Amino acid sequence: EPILTLPVDEVDTDAVVSILKPIWLAKCETARRVRGRIERVLDAAKAKGLRSGENPARFRGHLDLLLPRQPRKGQKHHAALPFVELPDFMATLSQRPASAAKALQITVLTAARTSEVLGMTWDEIDFENQIWTIPASRMKAKSLHQVPLSEAAMKTLREIRANSSTNSTLVFRGTSGGGLSNITIHGFRSTFRDWAGEKTSHAREDIEMALAHTIQSKTERAYRRGNAIEERRLLMDDWAAFAIR
C-alpha cells in the first residue's frame, strides 16, 4: 500500500523500504534525504502522540541491515544482476571452461565476496562435510566465517581439484591480478539478497549471516553464535536450485 495513503501510526518498515529501495542505489543522495525526512516526520508524529514505538525509518541498526550499501562518493556502483536473469547467466557461464568462469560460479553459489573466493585455499574446504571455512584474517568483519556448500558448488570444486596441480594451495591459482575483477559488475551478493528476501521464507538472520554481515542487535549476535549452519545450508541449497536449472 502506498505510504502516502497510510495513517501515520500504520507506517511500518515495509512501507519505508518500498519507498526507498527503487531509488536507494540509483539516486543515492535523494534517497538519503527522503529517508531522513520520513524519519523526522515520524518522530514529530510520535512527539505529538500520533504514533508509538520504534521509528521504522531509523537507519543505524535497522534500515542499514535491509538496504544495500550505497557506494562512497566517487565510487562507481555496479548494479546487481536481476535475479530472474540469473539462471540464464549461469547456464551460459557453465559452457566456459576457463578458471575465471569457475571462480565466478563459486562466487555466485556461495554469495561470498570476490576477494574471499580469490583467496580460497584447498585446506579451507571440508569436502566430507561440505563446508568452506574462511579464516578471520580474510574476512571483512575480521571473524571466522563458515559457508555451507551446495552440491552444485561441490561439483564445481571437485572438477577444479581434478584438473589442478597437486602442489597448488590456491583453488583459483592464476586468477588474481585482475582476472576476476570484472565479476563485481553484476553485484551477485545483492542478487542473492533480493532473491532470498523476495522469493523465500528464510529468516532474515540466516540471509544476513550467509552474507557475513555484522549483526547489530544482542539477540541476533546470540543467534549468530549458534552459527545456524543447517538453516543456512537449506538457504544455499535453495539458492543453487534456483540458479542452476
Side-chain angles (χ1 to χ4, degrees), residues 203 205-206 209 219-228 231:
E205 293 89 346
D206 292 332
M209 285 179 68
T219 302
E220 288 178 319
R221 284 200 296 272
Y223 182 94
R224 173 176 281 249
R225 282 197 292 273
N227 208 16
E231 288 83 354

Side-chain angles (χ1 to χ4, degrees), residues 64-84:
D64 61 341
L65 299 174
L66 301 174
L67 293 166
R69 182 172 297 178
Q70 289 182 327
R72 293 184 295 274
K73 283 190 175 181
Q75 175 186 359
K76 185 178 179 183
H77 171 73
H78 299 294
L81 183 77
F83 61 76
V84 294

Side-chain angles (χ1 to χ4, degrees), residues 41 54 59 68 185 199 231-232 241:
V41 167
E54 288 271 351
F59 187 70
I185 64 171
K199 294 297 182 180
E231 288 83 354
R232 288 194 289 124

Side-chain angles (χ1 to χ4, degrees), residues 1-242:
E1 189 170 356
I3 196 169
L4 291 175
T5 65
L6 287 173
V8 72
D9 61 336
E10 292 181 19
V11 174
D12 58 10
T13 299
D14 287 343
V16 176
V17 169
S18 71
I19 289 291
L20 296 176
K21 195 170 183 180
I23 61 172
W24 190 249
L25 294 176
K27 299 178 180 178
C28 296
E29 184 61 32
T30 298
R32 286 194 293 269
R33 290 176 180 173
V34 168
R35 186 211 63 77
R37 286 170 186 170
I38 294 173
E39 183 178 28
R40 287 194 295 275
V41 167
L42 296 181
D43 276 344
K46 183 177 180 179
K48 293 179 179 180
L50 299 175
R51 61 174 288 125
S52 61
E54 288 271 351
N55 192 320
R58 178 170 58 89
F59 187 70
R60 187 176 295 278
H62 184 58
L63 290 181
D64 61 341
L65 299 174
L66 301 174
L67 293 166
R69 182 172 297 178
Q70 289 182 327
R72 293 184 295 274
K73 283 190 175 181
Q75 175 186 359
K76 185 178 179 183
H77 171 73
H78 299 294
L81 183 77
F83 61 76
V84 294
E85 297 178 19
L86 185 66
D88 286 344
F89 177 87
M90 293 295 280
T92 301
L93 194 64
S94 68
Q95 305 301 313
R96 299 179 179 176
S99 179
K102 300 290 187 189
L104 183 45
Q105 287 180 338
I106 293 299
T107 301
V108 173
L109 292 171
T110 59
R113 296 177 177 88
T114 305
S115 60
E116 294 156 8
V117 172
L118 288 178
M120 179 190 281
T121 61
W122 289 115
D123 61 5
E124 293 174 358
I125 301 167
D126 181 342
F127 278 85
E128 183 178 352
N129 295 306
Q130 300 191 187
I131 292 175
W132 172 26
T133 301
I134 312 173
S137 59
R138 295 210 297 107
M139 293 300 300
K140 185 175 181 179
K142 300 304 178 186
S143 60
L144 179 145
H145 181 55
Q146 289 189 304
V147 182
L149 296 168
S150 63
E151 190 52 49
M154 292 302 300
K155 179 183 177 185
T156 299
L157 288 169
R158 291 188 192 104
E159 290 173 356
I160 297 166
R161 186 171 61 169
N163 294 312
S164 66
S165 60
T166 54
N167 62 352
S168 174
T169 302
L170 285 173
V171 174
F172 300 107
R173 191 178 181 187
T175 53
S176 56
L180 285 179
S181 60
N182 63 335
I183 73 171
T184 58
I185 64 171
H186 296 291
F188 290 111
R189 285 162 57 79
S190 293
T191 303
F192 167 79
R193 194 181 200 178
D194 289 347
W195 165 83
E198 294 180 28
K199 294 297 182 180
T200 82
S201 57
H202 288 284
R204 185 177 68 85
E205 293 89 346
D206 292 332
I207 298 168
E208 292 301 312
M209 285 179 68
L211 291 165
H213 283 166
T214 301
I215 300 299
Q216 301 290 337
S217 74
K218 289 182 180 179
T219 302
E220 288 178 319
R221 284 200 296 272
Y223 182 94
R224 173 176 281 249
R225 282 197 292 273
N227 208 16
I229 198 79
E230 292 310 314
E231 288 83 354
R232 288 194 289 124
R233 186 176 296 285
L234 294 174
L235 169 61
M236 302 316 290
D237 285 347
D238 286 349
W239 173 235
F242 168 75

